[in-house]
Amino acid sequence: ERLPAVEAGEWWPLREVRLRESQTCPPDYLTESELITLMESYGIGTDASIATHIENVCRRNYVAVTGGRRRLVVPTNLGVVLIHGYQRIDPELCLPTMRGEIERQLALIAQGRADYEAVLAYATDIFRRKFAHFAANVGRMDELFEASFSLQAAGLGSKPLSRCGRCRRYMRLLTVRPQRLHCTTCDQTYSLPQGGTIKLFKEITCPLDGFELVLFSTGARGKTYPLCPLCYNEPPFEGVAAEGAGGMSCTGCPHPTCRWAVAQHAICGCLEEGCEGVLCLDPTSAPLWKANCNRCSYLVHLVRNAHRIAVSGDACECGARLLHLDFNKNDTPLPGGDTYFLGCMLCDEVFADHLAAAHGALRHPKLKGRGRRGRGGGRRGGGR
């Protein structure tokens, strides 16, 4: 019903209050005639070839045209997985504008307004580079097909683990190599770091997309860090630190307020020569506390048996951020029975007897000496 004309400050009696719950519905599938109209609008095909294009995708089982008066073009499971794979590797290949641009260039040749050799070189160069990029990342397509068409997708070799941020249903962890998460509702597969274990991380959700975080670990002697499945596969920030050759984990995320992002746990730059990563405190490593690099496999074992270690907002003169240390009063290494200490892991002697790298020689000069006192300088808070 059309609302009557109203003016600011005018009062109207309230006769009834109703709360109606409903859900949005996706648009219906395209009809064959609608698809032909869209192809013509983007310049894809000609009057003679459009029907052949539709016949080809039907014969390859990418779509099916239903019978009846409307003749809907319905994508098959194969077609859906294929387009998801293209979107993960090179989204431009899914756009109608790419094919339309080539058709436009061919029309210019026919009109004598473009040089054949120039257009051929241009198109060949574009698709040569796209082919090389696609071939280098084809493993992402393999993961989607394995998750959708193998027995693992039916539940064998998989188990429910974490909630999808899009549909809020549980995703399944495919335990066969390569391990990955698959959402059967959204028909999406998410790659995970390899060579370790994956488990749910306290049912904490990512503030960016609502996906539940998972915890990756290579054991007590290796690295442990949380990650968001979507951010790991589709990093929302450019130029962030990546875990080796993988995607963005929480220790590389520059989110300003998330308690698991790099801003909350960064201590100093990685001490491994040539690495541009950041050493981050592993908050899950108690009581064998350690700090991991968010780029390479370098890690540093810190003080053992501390009740709590947290990164301070203050920095030492050497540039490293200070650490809060809380010890149990019956097991404190601090003189005088103190249980609290604020200091630098590179400069203060409290760390000197415990600090050790997990691999390689320690090349940072501040890690070689003992008894050095920096700005941290034994700032003890007294017995608590």
Side-chain angles (χ1 to χ4, degrees):
E1 298 180 4
R2 185 179 295 275
L3 293 175
V6 295
E7 297 181 359
E10 190 173 358
W11 288 83
W12 290 79
L14 185 63
R15 293 191 302 180
E16 184 183 6
V17 177
R18 286 183 296 174
L19 178 63
R20 186 176 65 181
E21 183 177 349
S22 60
Q23 292 182 337
T24 58
C25 298
D28 201 358
Y29 296 115
L30 293 174
T31 64
E32 191 174 23
S33 61
E34 290 171 339
L35 176 60
I36 292 174
T37 301
L38 285 173
M39 292 175 68
E40 290 175 343
S41 67
Y42 283 101
I44 299 176
T46 63
D47 294 341
S49 64
I50 284 180
T52 304
H53 292 326
I54 297 177
E55 181 184 351
N56 286 339
V57 294
C58 290
R59 189 174 65 252
R60 293 167 184 169
N61 197 30
Y62 299 154
V63 300
V65 179
T66 63
R69 189 164 44 180
R70 297 192 64 197
R71 291 183 60 81
L72 297 176
V73 181
V74 181
T76 63
N77 191 30
L78 174 61
V80 171
V81 174
L82 185 66
I83 200 69
H84 284 171
Y86 280 125
Q87 288 173 339
R88 293 185 67 180
I89 298 174
D90 188 353
E92 284 189 353
L93 293 176
C94 309
L95 300 178
T97 51
M98 170 158 289
R99 176 62 182 267
E101 173 64 17
I102 298 300
E103 297 276 4
R104 190 180 68 84
Q105 296 288 339
L106 294 178
L108 292 177
I109 294 175
Q111 298 168 10
R113 299 169 54 189
D115 179 67
Y116 165 78
E117 295 295 339
V119 172
L120 178 62
Y122 167 76
T124 304
D125 179 63
I126 287 180
F127 285 101
R128 181 185 294 111
R129 285 184 290 168
K130 285 189 173 295
F131 176 81
H133 173 74
F134 197 94
N137 295 275
V138 73
R140 297 185 178 185
M141 182 76 79
D142 293 339
E143 292 175 2
L144 287 174
F145 274 86
E146 288 177 12
S148 299
F149 296 104
S150 65
L151 292 177
Q152 284 76 24
L156 300 178
S158 66
K159 59 182 180 181
L161 183 68
S162 62
R163 289 186 184 271
C164 171
R166 291 169 172 157
C167 66
R168 302 306 301 160
R169 302 291 182 89
Y170 278 99
M171 298 187 291
R172 302 188 72 86
L173 174 65
L174 305 183
T175 54
V176 294
R177 296 181 181 179
Q179 60 183 355
R180 55 215 182 276
L181 283 170
H182 180 69
C183 179
T184 55
T185 304
C186 301
D187 198 16
Q188 290 277 5
T189 302
Y190 301 94
S191 302
L192 295 171
Q194 304 299 310
T197 59
I198 294 287
K199 65 180 182 180
L200 184 64
F201 187 49
K202 304 179 181 179
E203 298 184 348
I204 298 170
T205 58
C206 174
L208 295 173
D209 49 49
F211 277 72
E212 285 186 336
L213 304 184
V214 296
L215 191 69
F216 172 77
S217 176
T218 55
R221 297 184 179 181
K223 296 175 62 174
T224 301
Y225 53 84
L227 62 96
C228 164
L230 181 60
C231 293
Y232 186 81
N233 287 267
E234 302 174 14
F237 305 101
E238 296 183 359
V240 297
E243 292 289 345
M248 187 188 80
S249 69
C250 293
T251 56
C253 177
H255 194 284
T257 59
C258 178
R259 61 177 297 195
W260 306 106
V262 63
Q264 311 300 322
H265 300 287
I267 301 174
C268 63
C270 180
L271 307 180
E272 184 76 357
E273 184 178 349
C275 179
E276 298 180 355
V278 177
L279 274 181
C280 298
L281 175 69
D282 178 3
T284 68
S285 59
L288 305 178
W289 295 93
K290 58 188 176 183
N292 307 320
C293 175
N294 64 1
R295 291 260 182 120
C296 70
S297 60
Y298 189 89
L299 60 89
V300 175
H301 295 282
L302 304 174
V303 176
R304 294 191 175 192
N305 300 323
H307 175 68
R308 182 183 74 98
I309 297 182
V311 180
S312 167
D314 298 325
C316 177
E317 294 174 354
C318 70
R321 293 170 68 183
L322 303 179
L323 298 178
H324 298 280
L325 278 71
D326 281 302
F327 293 95
N328 188 292
K329 64 180 180 179
N330 297 322
D331 190 24
T332 175
L334 302 176
D338 290 347
T339 59
Y340 174 72
F341 183 84
L342 175 66
C344 172
M345 81 168 198
L346 302 180
C347 302
D348 287 312
E349 53 190 24
V350 168
F351 293 92
D353 293 331
H354 306 276
L355 210 61
H359 71 274
L362 294 178
R363 296 182 176 87
H364 197 288
K366 290 186 177 294
L367 285 177
K368 294 181 179 179
R370 290 191 177 185
R372 301 183 62 181
R373 301 170 69 91
R375 182 184 162 194
R379 285 184 290 266
R380 302 175 182 87
R384 249 190 348 192

